[in-house]
Amino acid sequence: MSDAPVPNADSPCPEIELTSAFLDGELTEADAAGAEAHIAACAECQAFVAVAADVSEAMRRPSARLKAPPLLRARIRRRLDSEASVRPARAGFLWGALSGAGVSAAAAAFIAVLMLPPAPESLAGAVTDAHIHALSAGRTIEVVSSSHHTVKPWFAGRAPLSPPVAEFAAQGFPLVGGRVDRVLGQKAAVVVYGHGKHEIDLFVWADRGAALPASGVRLGYHTVFWKNADLDFAAVSDVAPDELSQFVRLVQAEPE
């Protein structure tokens, strides 16, 4: 686990709920930007994020038994106290689990639902949902250009990273533009390519050490994930799997 100090459970930062919503990917883009700025300046919320990440990582180990940090117990207590519909037996079970040396599987699951960021396995759903939402909202492209000289510098100041942007028109995958999106609450640069009548979204976000899900298909859209240095990548499209694999090979072959 990290060495970050445990936040104060008795008088937590008044923005802790905003930080929790940010981790859960529940904020609008404007609110998420405000939450990011607050976290960057608040040591207590930084510690909260570190604790949440540690617990989330540990919970993915089948045999994990965790000592609930004071802040988690305090937040669960406030939630239970505010829920008039919670039966006493249920509340007693949860607090019995939380107050002991370990956290039972059921109580740990309850904590996860309340405040932990989604596990890496949900990335496939997250990028697919983001791709579909952009398509349905008609906002797949915020900067329109077939030139990497235009698209790459556009991300400066809009995304917290500089994504690789290459031109593959000769190979049948023309660059058409880019946008900024979110993957589980984290800003991602999305480089947009075309292929026939299809669109391919190349999501790029800063790697935080989490495992990536296996490539697959969801709602008719194929996803391929990989890492390169300090960046995580996901290619999403409804093109045929072999065509998406060809596109991924082109991206991976590009020099950094």
Side-chain angles (χ1 to χ4, degrees), residues 113-152:
V113 169
L114 286 181
M115 59 176 300
L116 292 181
E121 288 76 9
S122 64
L123 275 171
V127 297
T128 303
D129 289 346
H131 177 75
I132 293 174
H133 177 73
L135 288 172
S136 62
R139 58 164 299 273
T140 58
I141 302 173
E142 294 176 337
V143 54
V144 180
S145 179
S146 60
S147 171
H148 72 278
H149 295 295
T150 298
V151 176
K152 188 174 180 67

Side-chain angles (χ1 to χ4, degrees), residues 14 23 33 56 61 76 82 99 111 118 135 140 166 173 176 230-231 240:
L23 290 177
S56 180
R61 297 193 293 268
I76 297 298
S82 66
S99 61
I111 294 170
L135 288 172
T140 58
F173 301 95
V176 294
D230 59 350
L231 298 177

